[in-house]
């Protein structure tokens, strides 16, 4: 499962700004407050324990089977990652909701 590029560019960025961060925030700067916090009190669908992955907290329309895997480092800016994904989708003819 993967998060849709559309979700990242709209809802995820809203979560980032709600945490008083900007799209130029590094992944390590939002990891605890935005990413881990979302699944902290959610049961994991795989092991039934508390603490679900971010993607498991999303509605099916916002996440689905992944067509590609993205490798990134914690030092990348969130906005740059999303911009890169949008450009990749446009160049390959993928819709951002996929």
């Amino acid at each position: 499962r993967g998060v849709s590029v559309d979700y990242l560019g709209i809802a995820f960025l809203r979560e980032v700004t709600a945490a008083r961060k900007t799209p130029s925030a590094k992944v390590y700067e939002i990891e605890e407050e935005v990413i881990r916090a979302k699944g902290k009190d959610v049961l994991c669908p795989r092991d039934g324990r508390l603490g679900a992955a971010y993607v498991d907290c999303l509605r099916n329309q916002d996440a689905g089977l992944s067509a590609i895997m993205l490798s990134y480092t914690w030092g990348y800016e969130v906005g740059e990652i999303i911009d890169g994904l949008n450009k990749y989708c446009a160049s390959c003819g993928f819709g951002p909701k996929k």
Side-chain angles (χ1 to χ4, degrees), residues 8-93:
L8 290 172
I10 299 170
F12 179 74
L13 280 181
R14 258 190 261 129
E15 293 172 22
V16 170
T17 57
R20 294 181 298 282
K21 304 290 183 189
T22 68
S24 63
K26 310 280 195 245
V27 173
Y28 65 81
E29 295 174 321
I30 63 147
E31 184 266 338
E32 185 71 31
E33 192 173 354
V34 177
I35 298 171
R36 286 193 191 263
K38 190 166 195 81
K40 184 180 124 204
D41 297 319
V42 176
L43 290 178
C44 174
R46 283 171 290 289
D47 64 16
R49 297 185 313 181
L50 259 169
Y54 186 93
V55 70
D56 291 329
C57 300
L58 303 182
R59 301 172 300 172
N60 285 337
Q61 66 201 44
D62 297 324
L65 293 178
S66 298
I68 61 168
M69 181 186 157
L70 173 69
S71 180
Y72 63 92
T73 71
W74 284 47
Y76 285 4
E77 292 182 6
V78 176
E80 286 183 355
I81 294 170
I82 296 168
D83 288 346
L85 286 168
N86 276 313
K87 287 176 185 170
Y88 180 80
C89 286
S91 72
C92 294

